[in-house]
Structures are given as structure tokens and as C-alpha cells.
Amino acid sequence: MSGPVDLSEAHQALDRLRPQLCHCGLKGECLGCKGLEMVRRQLEAVAAAASQPVLLQVAQEAAMKDMAAQFEGMAEKLMNDPEIRRAAETMSERVMHDPETQRLLEELMKRLGTPPPDS
């Protein structure tokens, strides 16, 4: 792969999704805003790693696995908090019941090469 990867459409999709998930008035303080920023950073990291030569990709793959393990640990800690768990469940329900959000997620998943989850 040569040259920088154009992520503008993915960023635009995340920007359109943010108002639908936000509960803090777009201040970046709620679970929806923070989650989308985490997805944005992961998307950028994957694109940057995938555009590197193979040897760098191997090193970055190890770093991504480490980051994923850290993310899982953080998610587990967060889900142990009943209030955060309820907020995440509410957000998930809201996302799954909004046709436009489902369409945006499916579009993003297609662009990332991941099959969309069954509804």
C-alpha cells in the first residue's frame, strides 16, 4: 500500500453518529463521545499500521494486540460498575433501534472489512 489512507469518509460517519449517541451536549464527557473517540483512534492506528512495510506491521500488530488486551481490561473494569454498565446497555439498545445508526455502523464495518453483526 502506498501513500496515506483517506479516512475522511469514516471520520464523517463517526461525526454523524456522535450526536445520536451523545448525552453531554458534545462536550466529550459521556460514554458515547468517549467511545466514538476511542473508535476513531483505533481506526487511525489500524490505517497507519496497515500502510507500513511488512516488518513494521509485525511490530505494530504486537502493539495492537497489547492495546486490545488493555482495552478489554478497561472495558471489564468499566462493566463492573453498575451505573456504567446500565449506560452502555442503554446506548446499545438505542443504537440497535435506530435505522440510520444501523446503516452507518454497517457502512463503517464494510469499509473496515468486518461483516456487520446480525440484528
Side-chain angles (χ1 to χ4, degrees), residues 2 5 11 15 19 25 38 54 59 61 64 67 70-71 83 87-88 97 100 106 110 117:
S2 63
V5 178
H11 284 295
D15 290 341
M38 185 181 303
V54 174
E61 183 178 334
M64 291 294 285
M67 183 176 75
Q70 289 178 15
F71 176 72
E83 186 176 328
H97 288 97
E100 178 65 9
E106 287 174 5
K110 283 179 192 173

Side-chain angles (χ1 to χ4, degrees), residues 7 20 25 31 33 42 45-46 51 63 65-66 68 75 83 92 101 114:
L7 299 176
Q20 297 175 49
L31 189 61
C33 289
Q42 289 177 334
V46 167
S51 65
K65 285 180 182 178
D66 182 53
E83 186 176 328
S92 176
T101 302
T114 306

Side-chain angles (χ1 to χ4, degrees), residues 61-116:
E61 183 178 334
M64 291 294 285
K65 285 180 182 178
D66 182 53
M67 183 176 75
Q70 289 178 15
F71 176 72
E72 286 177 27
M74 181 184 71
E76 189 175 311
K77 280 184 182 178
L78 288 174
M79 289 300 112
N80 286 333
D81 181 323
E83 186 176 328
I84 292 175
R85 185 174 50 244
R86 279 192 299 275
E89 289 168 355
T90 300
M91 183 178 75
S92 176
E93 288 173 13
R94 189 171 173 197
V95 166
M96 290 302 120
H97 288 97
D98 181 49
E100 178 65 9
T101 302
Q102 285 181 354
R103 186 190 66 75
L104 290 171
L105 284 172
E106 287 174 5
E107 181 180 315
L108 181 61
M109 297 300 262
K110 283 179 192 173
R111 292 181 192 277
L112 293 175
T114 306

